[in-house]
Amino acid sequence: MTEHPHAALVRKGYDAFSRGDMDTMRTLLAGDATHHVPGSHSLSGDFKGQDAIIDMYRRLAEETDGTVHVVPMNVLVDGRGHAVSLHRFTARRQGREIDETGALVFRIVGDKITDLDECVEDIERSNEFWA
């Protein structure tokens, strides 16, 4: 059975992110895509447009000295432009470590990601880690 194109797109995004391949990331994101990050810390908020999203990804790597790792566990699709991924997120920052399950809810139009809503396992732990 062939993987649904939306699941393949999401997996390609995880792969590009893991390799730090932001040129490929740009090909996957719509020009006006938005990534919504929950919490109340310096890396939370709405990042609109490819440049803002890519810059936020750069900051994730910078803030964690390159220790941020996101490993997809599963990708679910509805065949109508939505995909949900579950992943394991690990990183080290300023003597702190985080290891938790997270999720992204994607909106896909055509072959581009237009919206990413991030969900975290423990929002208080996330806020503390990024504080």
Side-chain angles (χ1 to χ4, degrees):
M1 192 163 129
T2 304
E3 184 173 48
H4 190 278
H6 293 164
L9 177 69
V10 168
R11 289 187 194 283
K12 188 174 182 179
Y14 274 101
D15 180 62
F17 179 87
S18 294
R19 292 183 292 107
D21 182 356
M22 296 303 116
D23 290 335
T24 295
M25 286 300 301
R26 284 183 186 281
T27 70
L28 308 177
L29 297 167
D32 62 348
T34 303
H35 188 139
H36 309 275
V37 180
S40 57
H41 52 81
S42 64
L43 286 170
S44 65
D46 297 331
F47 299 87
K48 185 156 181 68
Q50 287 180 356
D51 290 342
I53 293 170
I54 298 299
D55 187 58
M56 185 263 292
Y57 294 164
R58 178 195 58 76
R59 289 177 56 207
L60 285 173
E62 186 177 271
E63 290 281 330
T64 64
D65 292 325
T67 64
V68 65
H69 294 291
V70 184
V71 179
M73 298 167 17
N74 204 354
V75 179
L76 311 171
V77 299
D78 69 356
R80 299 179 296 112
H82 300 97
V84 176
S85 65
L86 296 175
H87 59 254
R88 182 171 175 212
F89 176 87
T90 60
R92 289 186 306 277
R93 179 177 185 267
Q94 299 177 356
R96 296 182 294 251
E97 293 186 17
I98 193 164
D99 182 347
E100 67 178 12
T101 302
L104 289 169
V105 179
F106 296 85
R107 175 75 175 128
I108 301 166
V109 176
D111 63 351
K112 300 286 185 187
I113 298 166
T114 62
D115 203 67
L116 301 94
D117 278 302
E118 189 172 327
C119 299
V120 296
E121 183 175 0
D122 183 332
I123 200 154
E124 294 307 320
R125 180 172 48 206
S126 181
N127 284 336
E128 182 180 310
F129 178 77
W130 293 109

